[in-house]
Amino acid sequence: MNEPLVTLREVLGPADAQGYAVGAFTMCNAETADAIMAAAAEDNSPVIVMLGPKEEPVFGLPNTVQIVSTLARNYHIPVCLHLDHSRDPAQVQAALAAGFPSVMIDYSARPDEENIQVTRSIVELARKTGATVEAEIGYVGFPEATTEADNNGSIRSESHLTDPAAAEHFAHVTGVDALAISIGTAHGRSPGLPMLDFDRLAEIHRRVAVPLVLHGATGRDPDQVRQVVQLGIRKVNVATDLARAFADTMAEALEAGEGFFWHAEALVRVKQRWAAVVHRWIETLGSNDRLVDITSRL
Ligand SMILES: [Zn+2]
């Protein structure tokens, strides 16, 4: 394999054709990337490794490309490295220059016209390097940052949910490769089990040709997740579950060591937990043993 980093199109095209979804896991350092890829390789699953704005300062963009390509080569698996949730066109440009094969530009909190205009310019830019672009229409909010979340942490106000006609128009005029939509999920830890708008998803899938993306799936019942995959979700973002595993492991290590622990020992333990999170999502999304769908085309 010459080029270990692949685009969203290469990963989500087969998923769309075969009716499964691929997990997109947020890395923040080499250890997270390694745990994610080790689990995917073990399950023969395609995988998307993401770096978000919170994680970007940890290593920077060029180092991230180096780390992820090296690990992908070592595991002999193609990996889609994807910049998650960038709200900054200059950062997207820097990621493309650093060698990211895929990016998300998120202007979903802005008026639709502005979202279309900025997304379109990013798609044009990405085409020059052959990279793929995800954008979002409707707004998957952050419960802690809004007063509109209900008691379950779900955001269901009509202004946040994706309008199917608007999504169809958006995908058509921007030329995006994947579209994140809002059907009632929210980022971060949700205390309850919000109801998802399955009818809305089915309608969006009927109208929009590009693969659909679900953000904010943490805490969702696996059966609900399987149902949204059946209805057309092809990429599911996972970040909070990995952060939770880290926080829990460190808290336990601190408690067991009465205020002190060896970070190396704790990191070894947390890598096992991260891998367990990834295995669980791969199973739920049905992407295990699907690696051949991609490698047979490379
Ligand atoms: Zn998100």
Side-chain angles (χ1 to χ4, degrees), residues 85 187 215 237:
H85 269 301
H187 291 98
H215 291 227
N237 284 17

XYZ file of all heavy atoms in Angstrom, residues 85 187 215 237, ligand 1:
39
model
N -15.084 19.346 12.477
C -15.692 20.574 13.007
C -14.876 21.835 12.924
O -14.872 22.618 13.890
C -16.020 20.391 14.488
C -17.391 19.870 14.691
N -18.505 20.511 14.242
C -17.813 18.735 15.278
C -19.559 19.794 14.555
N -19.174 18.702 15.169
N -24.048 17.066 21.134
C -22.680 16.684 21.482
C -22.531 16.474 22.991
O -23.266 17.062 23.780
C -21.695 17.765 21.052
C -21.561 17.887 19.572
N -22.232 18.835 18.860
C -20.834 17.180 18.674
C -21.926 18.712 17.581
N -21.081 17.715 17.436
N -23.620 13.159 14.339
C -22.772 13.627 15.444
C -23.560 13.482 16.736
O -24.783 13.500 16.726
C -22.428 15.113 15.268
C -21.505 15.405 14.122
N -20.408 16.217 14.255
C -21.504 14.998 12.843
C -19.773 16.302 13.093
N -20.433 15.571 12.207
N -19.837 9.880 14.453
C -18.712 10.471 15.184
C -18.703 10.022 16.637
O -19.744 10.046 17.299
C -18.811 11.999 15.150
C -18.393 12.570 13.808
O -18.321 11.858 12.801
N -18.108 13.854 13.792
Zn -19.856 17.026 15.906
